[in-house]
Amino acid sequence: MFAALAVALLLGFPVAFSVAAVAAVFGVLGIAGGHFQPAFLLAGTLRIEGFFHNDNLLAIPLFVFMGLLLERTGLAADMLRALDELLAAVRGGMAYTVVLVGASLSALTGFVSAAVIGLGLIALPAMLRQGYDARLATGVVAASGTLAQILPPSLVLIVLAEQLEVPLMDIFRGAMLPSALLVLMYLLYIFFAARWWPSRVPPLPSRELLRPIGQRGRAALVAAGFPIGLILLVLASVYFGWATPSEGGAVGVTGAFVLGLVRRKLDLARLRQAMMAAGVLCSGLLFLLFGASFFTLVFRGIDGQVWIESMFQHLPAGQLGFLVFINIAIFFIAFFLDFFEIAFIVLPLIAPVALKLRIDMTWLAVLLAVNLQTSFMHPPFGIALYNLRSVTPVAVPTSQIYRGAIPFLLLQLALVALLIAFPSIVLKTPTAPVNIDNVEIPMPPKDDGALERK
């Protein structure tokens, strides 16, 4: 099945239909070979029906639509200008600004391509005009856009919650500290790069050309405060149980719509564009999900999961060996498949093995989210690099984009190693349950003298 799927993908057929077609062919072979009865395939319709009753999947179109609304209203450009002016007196200030705006834009849009293209159009020309080295500028833009992979409320985390059957809020909570660590690692790299290679960062502007710090602070607060406040409102409503994920998405869409109207940057044409883009993206995801579900059903019908489990039985070091092997394998698989294909096809096959090894699925989900983030950055197949190349000036060669991405790719891999070594970054410290089987309640000693006096 995997070989046939690889051939179909290399021939250029659409992924969703390739997966379904391979499953159909091997489903017929499975019936002919006596592996299962034809009625077994009817379970596929029940699986599809279950998708339409899933609250996590219901949140996907809402979060996507919220991000597209905010993207169409130009809020990211306003944030970039205001924060750039605020940090203008800091060496490498615009690079810091791109990371911060990239983190905000990633949380707003929820998917990598939109964040990378948005930053590439807004920030990259300005950085090159100011004199930033092309390698540093393109690396910062691409890496900041890929934060959409792990920053809640990420579309990727929603898909992982569904595929690994983990509560969505557990993944959101678990991803908060790793995503903050990754942003901090990006900022530290810029800090040291500005000092080790000062030629890659432009000189500071004259202080006489800057407005007073108070005016710059107010402008940054207005430009960045409302979008970031909207994201915090959505996350807080879901985190504290005030709303389900789908209701939180609805709150975000309403807030983005009102914000666009108040700032007079949302008209019918932009609203129509956002709705069309959200509809096309979500429809594509559903077709891929249906095809992958059919593929997994047939794969299990011919006992494919037994084959996979037998493969992992020969790995040394138990949980650690499994995690290291899976992360290395997915890192290389991501050279050829994008995140959604890996999430829908590969992850359902390894999830049962992880459960047998008693691996915490929230930890595994966040770990794989960070690992799959590298799929957008590694040359020459990274989607983020392709997206950035499409909006980068012709004067910047592709080799510069690749060289700029490598340091940030290494930082992402370092975070993967940290999460494997220190699961507490993702998981809360477990509290030992109270054992009520051997509870003893000591009684006070009997006072015989008191009884006699009484």
Side-chain angles (χ1 to χ4, degrees), residues 246-421:
S246 56
E247 292 169 347
V251 170
V253 169
T254 304
F257 184 79
V258 172
L259 191 59
L261 292 178
V262 169
R263 303 189 69 174
R264 298 181 180 180
K265 293 191 174 182
L266 183 64
D267 53 23
L268 287 177
R270 290 173 177 170
L271 179 62
R272 187 181 300 112
Q273 291 173 2
M275 294 176 70
M276 286 291 294
V280 169
L281 178 63
C282 294
S283 299
L285 287 179
L286 280 177
F287 274 107
L288 183 56
L289 181 58
F290 295 159
S293 176
F294 189 30
F295 183 93
T296 306
L297 177 67
V298 174
F299 188 80
R300 291 182 176 178
I302 56 178
D303 294 329
Q305 78 279 6
V306 177
W307 171 63
I308 290 181
E309 290 173 7
S310 65
M311 290 174 56
F312 287 111
Q313 286 177 355
H314 302 287
L315 288 177
Q319 289 186 356
L320 180 61
F322 172 81
L323 290 172
V324 172
F325 177 82
I326 284 298
N327 279 279
I328 293 174
I330 288 181
F331 176 80
F332 286 105
I333 291 173
F335 274 87
F336 310 100
L337 300 179
D338 68 14
F339 159 75
F340 291 111
E341 295 158 9
I342 295 174
F344 290 140
I345 300 172
V346 179
L347 296 192
L349 304 179
I350 65 173
V353 182
L355 287 172
K356 282 193 173 183
L357 291 173
R358 298 183 179 180
I359 294 174
D360 188 283
M361 299 305 283
T362 302
W363 178 34
L364 180 63
V366 176
L367 183 61
L368 293 179
V370 178
N371 189 337
L372 288 168
Q373 189 177 11
T374 64
S375 69
F376 293 90
M377 288 291 290
H378 48 49
F381 303 106
I383 298 174
L385 305 184
Y386 277 122
N387 292 330
L388 186 60
R389 175 71 273 178
S390 66
V391 296
T392 301
V394 181
V396 178
T398 304
S399 59
Q400 295 282 72
I401 299 177
Y402 290 165
R403 292 173 64 186
I406 290 175
F408 294 94
L409 175 62
L410 296 177
L411 291 176
Q412 293 170 351
L413 292 175
L415 182 59
V416 172
L418 275 176
L419 296 183
I420 293 177

Side-chain angles (χ1 to χ4, degrees), residues 63-73 108-109 111 114 274 277-278:
F63 282 122
V64 170
F65 188 40
M66 176 188 72
L68 290 170
L69 277 177
L70 291 170
E71 182 190 15
R72 294 299 190 277
T73 54
L108 293 172
T109 58
F111 50 102

Side-chain angles (χ1 to χ4, degrees), residues 25-38 302:
V25 170
F26 280 86
V28 172
L29 294 177
I31 295 171
H35 291 282
F36 49 79
Q37 297 297 318
I302 56 178

Side-chain angles (χ1 to χ4, degrees), residues 49-69:
E49 183 182 356
F51 295 145
F52 290 102
H53 296 284
N54 189 295
D55 286 339
N56 289 343
L57 295 179
L58 184 60
I60 288 179
L62 294 168
F63 282 122
V64 170
F65 188 40
M66 176 188 72
L68 290 170
L69 277 177

